[in-house]
Amino acid sequence: MYCTALNYVTLRILGEGANGGDKNACAKARKWIHDHGTITLMPSWGKFWLSVCMLSYSFNTQINKSKMWYFCRHVYMPMSYIYGKRFVCPVTPLITSLREELFTEPYDESTWKKARHKCAKEDLYYPHHWIQDLIWDTAYFLTEPLLTRWPFNKIREKALEVAIKGIRYEDESTRYIQGGCIDKSASLLACWVDDPNGDSFKKHLARVPDYLWLSEDGMCVQGINSQSWDAGFMVQALLATGLIGDLGPTLEKAHDFIKKSQVVDNRSGDFKSMFHHISKGAWTFADRDHGVQISDGTAECLKCCLLLSMLPEEIVGEKLEPERMYDSVNFILSLQSKNGGLSVWEPAKAQKWLENLNPAEFIADIVIEHEYIESTGSAIQALVLFKKLYPNHRREEIEKFIVKATQYIEDQQLPNGSFRFTPLFESDLIEIVNGMVGNMIKVRMFQEDYKDIERMQTPLNGTIVLNKDDKPMTHFELCSEVV
């Protein structure tokens, strides 16, 4: 319902008629929407955008951002600001027509109060407990009326000031790219609501093309750019071929891009008061402009710099300065949790029970930061290589980190030898096996579980190990050698 309804409204805004679109796209989408309960069953994020378009009246959110996951925080902040300002677009003939097209009964604002907690079964991935619904209803029916009246409306005015300050700070820190396309679009609208003629809105418009790309089926929007992320893995894949002489110019350009993409300073001002973590020395998904640090991307790009530093500079260019590598190590070390796992954007410091307050229906585990096997595995590899090349820098801390991180990964293994939730990066599998040599049962279980994956015959990613014939080992060969 979420995607179908939003795409329907988008097509109509772009000029398609009620029965327009390729192969009667609008008519078919409208029929599906009607057959599945109409747009009153949109998830809350969809209701937000419909309320902006004067098609819904049921969205509200009240969020404490201090312990929230980065993306959750920066999606709900502009949503909250727009809601608090009560911004809606004017009712136009198109809006009137959409109200007739998307409902099976006459449009009535009171309909939305009854539909506040309703969600189409196709979208309902995370059902809400009745206690959570009671909390939201209390906020909406009891607290909300108070916040529109003096003197309680002063609280909302202050909250709106804090919200727009946070939005502007994130805009400036990410050069108006924001973390991804969802918070980018919501923040762009919030800046327009704040000042349609302001510089913030104009700067937002200038960075919209960063998300656009032309594919074989038309103009698309990327969820998030990933230049640094992609470059880090591609460099390791190219190094694994052993064709260094042939790939020299490509490796040199990639090396230069990776070095230029590293974040060299923390966010400006008192970033901790804005609920942000250190970012100096990190890499982002995209490039330095993006500004949103990630642990696994940092580990992968650091590995690239370390591997390339062992090759002749006349082939791959000057190596990254040791001080900048030290900054990367400091960032990675700062993200390890007590359980040994590594989070992605910021330290996982919030209580797990807060996930029970997840206001979204179609996605789970978005309220707080979590630890991830992939990030932990990437960090282990990067630090093992770093310790080999720079044995005297924070050696004791790094060794303790690796021991705890290895234990975390081992703790995540299921009885059948596999790992839950999401596949590991191929190169991480190698380091995990190396780190589990002391537990032969777990290694053999892992080896058996990996046989199916080995059929893909993908190249080693960032780990160059030769067999007796001086050819790169397959993953399963390496596992056998370790055992």
Side-chain angles (χ1 to χ4, degrees):
M1 183 64 72
Y2 181 56
C3 296
T4 305
L6 286 184
N7 277 289
Y8 181 91
V9 173
T10 300
L11 285 172
R12 296 286 282 113
I13 291 174
L14 291 174
E16 292 289 352
N19 296 308
D22 186 33
K23 300 178 181 178
N24 297 318
C26 288
K28 289 191 291 186
R30 185 170 63 253
K31 182 179 185 305
W32 190 94
I33 292 169
H34 288 177
D35 291 345
H36 291 79
T38 77
I39 59 172
T40 56
L41 300 189
M42 282 274 274
S44 57
W45 286 21
K47 287 185 171 80
F48 163 77
W49 288 109
L50 293 181
S51 67
V52 169
C53 295
M54 284 293 285
L55 296 171
S56 166
Y57 274 87
S58 68
F59 178 85
N60 91 300
T61 179
Q62 299 186 22
I63 300 292
N64 177 4
K65 62 182 180 178
S66 63
K67 295 185 178 181
M68 295 178 70
W69 177 47
Y70 171 84
F71 280 101
C72 187
R73 190 167 72 231
H74 290 285
V75 166
Y76 279 104
M77 200 186 319
M79 283 185 175
S80 299
Y81 180 79
I82 294 166
Y83 173 80
K85 295 289 285 188
R86 292 297 191 275
F87 171 78
V88 291
C89 67
V91 177
T92 64
L94 175 59
I95 298 299
T96 301
S97 180
L98 284 170
R99 288 178 175 179
E100 296 173 356
E101 296 165 23
L102 293 172
F103 295 88
T104 55
E105 299 177 358
Y107 179 84
D108 184 353
E109 295 177 12
S110 63
T111 301
W112 289 104
K113 291 184 179 180
K114 301 175 184 177
R116 282 174 46 78
H117 303 304
K118 291 182 179 180
C119 181
K121 62 181 178 62
E122 293 81 5
D123 298 58
L124 189 58
Y125 179 76
Y126 180 75
H128 292 169
H129 193 278
W130 68 267
I131 294 178
Q132 183 184 162
D133 289 342
L134 178 62
I135 293 173
W136 300 144
D137 284 342
T138 301
Y140 183 71
F141 291 108
L142 298 182
T143 308
E144 182 63 22
L146 291 176
L147 293 176
T148 61
R149 294 175 173 81
W150 187 90
F152 302 104
N153 59 351
K154 299 298 180 182
I155 300 175
R156 168 150 288 168
E157 291 174 6
K158 179 61 178 178
L160 289 171
E161 292 175 6
V162 172
I164 195 63
K165 178 182 177 182
I167 293 168
R168 288 171 178 163
Y169 182 81
E170 192 62 16
D171 286 343
E172 294 169 2
S173 297
T174 62
R175 282 76 172 175
Y176 293 84
I177 297 175
Q178 283 280 340
C181 69
I182 297 175
D183 41 323
K184 161 71 175 178
S185 55
S187 295
L188 183 153
L189 179 58
C191 288
W192 187 86
V193 172
D194 178 56
D195 185 359
N197 299 311
D199 289 340
S200 294
F201 176 66
K202 295 174 183 176
K203 291 177 180 179
H204 256 296
L205 289 178
R207 299 313 296 255
V208 168
D210 285 65
Y211 285 96
L212 303 179
W213 64 288
L214 191 61
S215 72
E216 65 277 4
D217 56 350
M219 183 68 75
C220 299
V221 174
Q222 301 185 110
I224 187 171
N225 291 309
S226 58
Q227 296 97 313
S228 293
W229 175 265
D230 298 337
F233 284 113
M234 284 189 283
V235 165
Q236 293 178 67
L238 293 176
L239 289 174
T241 67
L243 303 174
I244 307 303
D246 297 330
L247 299 171
T250 300
L251 289 172
E252 184 178 17
K253 290 179 181 178
H255 192 194
D256 182 62
F257 172 77
I258 289 173
K259 288 186 292 185
K260 289 179 178 177
S261 295
Q262 186 184 23
V263 179
V264 295
D265 289 302
N266 290 318
R267 292 165 181 259
S268 62
D270 186 4
F271 59 89
K272 291 185 179 180
S273 70
M274 303 302 290
F275 313 108
H276 285 291
H277 188 55
I278 61 172
S279 55
K280 183 178 181 181
W283 273 270
T284 71
F285 266 122
D287 52 25
R288 187 180 295 178
D289 271 5
H290 188 206
V292 183
Q293 70 282 352
I294 56 170
S295 61
D296 42 0
T298 297
E300 298 299 334
C301 287
L302 176 59
K303 277 195 291 181
C304 289
C305 293
L306 291 168
L307 291 168
L308 291 169
S309 72
M310 296 187 284
L311 298 176
E313 289 190 353
E314 57 268 22
I315 296 179
V316 298
E318 295 183 7
K319 65 181 181 181
L320 187 68
E321 297 91 330
E323 290 75 16
R324 289 174 61 179
M325 293 191 187
Y326 298 163
D327 290 336
S328 296
V329 170
N330 181 63
F331 171 71
I332 292 172
L333 293 177
S334 72
L335 289 175
Q336 188 173 43
S337 300
K338 291 181 180 180
N339 63 6
L342 209 70
S343 51
V344 179
W345 289 270
E346 297 165 331
K349 57 187 178 182
Q351 298 85 353
K352 303 295 184 184
W353 64 263
L354 288 172
E355 283 291 357
N356 294 321
L357 299 179
N358 176 12
E361 304 90 347
F362 64 98
I363 188 170
D365 297 329
I366 67 164
V367 175
I368 64 172
E369 181 69 273
H370 295 271
E371 298 85 7
Y372 295 96
I373 298 175
E374 302 96 322
S375 302
T376 309
S378 292
I380 290 173
Q381 290 182 84
L383 292 180
V384 166
L385 183 56
F386 177 84
K387 186 165 72 77
K388 179 180 178 181
L389 299 179
Y390 297 91
N392 297 321
H393 183 75
R394 302 179 70 170
R395 183 181 184 89
E396 184 176 348
E397 293 177 69
I398 290 173
E399 289 176 347
K400 289 181 178 179
F401 179 102
I402 293 172
V403 170
K404 289 179 62 179
T406 303
Q407 185 62 52
Y408 168 79
I409 293 177
E410 192 170 325
D411 291 343
Q412 304 307 306
Q413 189 178 26
L414 298 178
N416 66 358
S418 66
F419 291 86
R420 190 193 307 274
F421 184 64
T422 182
L424 302 171
F425 299 140
E426 294 166 24
S427 53
D428 290 341
L429 295 168
I430 307 304
E431 284 299 336
I432 294 167
V433 172
N434 276 285
M436 293 165 60
V437 174
N439 191 334
M440 308 307 279
I441 295 177
K442 282 184 175 287
V443 172
R444 294 184 192 280
M445 289 167 59
F446 169 85
Q447 194 178 31
E448 290 298 318
D449 188 64
Y450 193 60
K451 284 181 179 178
D452 291 337
I453 303 176
E454 181 57 28
R455 289 181 300 179
M456 294 186 292
Q457 294 294 314
T458 49
L460 284 166
N461 183 7
T463 307
I464 306 173
V465 183
L466 303 181
N467 60 19
K468 61 183 179 181
D469 298 319
D470 291 327
K471 295 181 179 179
M473 280 189 178
T474 65
H475 289 157
F476 195 69
E477 281 181 314
L478 185 57
C479 291
S480 300
E481 288 293 319
V482 171
V483 174

